[in-house]
Amino acid sequence: MIRLEGVSRTYGQGPGAVHALRDVSLTIETGTFVTIVGASGSGKSTLLNVLGLLDTPSRGTLFMDGVDVATLDDDGRTQLRRDKIGFIFQFFNLLPTMTALENVALPGKLAGQKRAWSHVRAEALLEHMGLGDRKGHRPSQLSGGEMQRVAIARALMLDPPLLLADEPTGNLDSDTGAAILKLLRGAKANHQTVVMVTHDPKVAGQGERMLTVADGRIVSDEAIANR
């Protein structure tokens, strides 16, 4: 589904330049659950942002479903993000003035779906997340685990083939974090590709393939079953 060829990302110029990614080549197959680990500042979040088209490589090529992303204009990149990628963030990024239902339904609205369809789909996802009775609550009225489940439901709204998760369990207790990982494994079982950044080796072990990033390079690529 994803292929990177010689991708680098540099911020700034001259002696003060920061080389966040250095000549990264990587292939991620459809339907796999890949975890990315590394120390703070290693480049793992930059790699996730490049995969999610939130950042642009300074050099190298990114292919998604065989399409060279560099050939797309801004509208094309926006459409690809909207149709192909679901994002799950550590700090949830829910809109505080919207209810849980409205937050989940938002991608449908942005994609031009009919309001009735979006609300039915959002309600079904919230029921699946065990939040059917919380659909009218705003984020400030939800626990951290509930907000993360709303964020996952929003990411699944348009049934994207790729889910990108940045420290999705980082602010949660262990039991709630385990429940979130179960939901992500369920997405993988539904043939969706999951790429998750985490600093926790135990969380990273929940995937089937683990990439270790250091100094902007992939220094290890392991099949977790073989560790």
Side-chain angles (χ1 to χ4, degrees):
M1 181 177 189
I2 301 169
R3 189 168 87 251
L4 279 70
E5 295 181 353
V7 166
S8 297
R9 183 63 173 104
T10 302
Y11 300 100
Q13 297 179 342
V18 175
H19 302 285
L21 292 178
R22 302 171 185 259
D23 195 30
V24 173
S25 294
L26 170 68
T27 298
I28 298 176
E29 303 292 343
T30 299
T32 55
F33 189 162
V34 179
T35 57
I36 303 173
V37 298
S40 178
S42 62
K44 59 186 186 297
S45 291
T46 300
L47 177 56
L48 196 74
N49 287 339
V50 168
L51 294 175
L53 312 186
L54 298 176
D55 203 347
T56 303
S58 304
R59 292 185 302 280
T61 309
L62 167 63
F63 296 92
M64 187 167 291
D65 281 346
V67 176
D68 180 353
V69 173
T71 65
L72 302 176
D73 60 15
D74 287 344
D75 288 343
R77 289 170 62 89
T78 297
Q79 184 175 347
L80 189 60
R81 275 196 304 268
R82 184 192 69 201
D83 296 342
K84 298 280 190 180
I85 306 172
F87 296 93
I88 304 165
F89 301 98
Q90 179 179 3
F91 296 103
F92 320 127
N93 286 8
L94 301 177
L95 296 178
T97 60
M98 289 186 172
T99 65
L101 179 67
E102 291 167 339
N103 267 285
V104 175
L106 184 59
K109 179 180 179 180
L110 295 176
Q113 298 287 351
K114 292 183 178 179
R115 184 177 183 275
W117 179 90
S118 294
H119 276 231
V120 169
R121 169 73 172 159
E123 286 184 348
L125 285 167
L126 288 171
E127 288 286 348
H128 177 67
M129 299 290 168
L131 294 171
D133 61 342
R134 309 291 279 172
K135 64 184 180 182
H137 290 64
R138 289 182 169 79
S140 62
Q141 299 170 306
L142 302 173
S143 69
E146 288 172 336
M147 284 192 284
Q148 191 59 290
R149 281 183 281 161
V150 171
I152 292 174
R154 180 183 60 187
L156 294 173
M157 179 67 190
L158 297 178
D159 201 24
L162 174 63
L163 287 176
L164 301 179
D166 191 0
E167 299 279 9
T169 63
N171 289 321
L172 307 176
D173 62 72
S174 58
D175 288 342
T176 305
I180 296 304
L181 290 172
K182 183 178 180 180
L183 290 170
L184 292 176
R185 288 195 299 271
K188 189 268 176 191
N190 194 40
H191 308 295
Q192 290 169 294
T193 305
V194 180
V195 182
M196 177 177 67
V197 162
T198 179
H199 69 281
D200 187 334
K202 291 182 179 179
V203 172
Q206 299 298 308
E208 57 191 311
R209 178 183 176 193
M210 184 170 70
L211 308 175
T212 303
V213 180
D215 297 324
R217 303 181 188 275
I218 295 177
V219 296
S220 175
D221 184 348
E222 301 177 82
I224 290 176
N226 295 331
R227 292 178 64 222

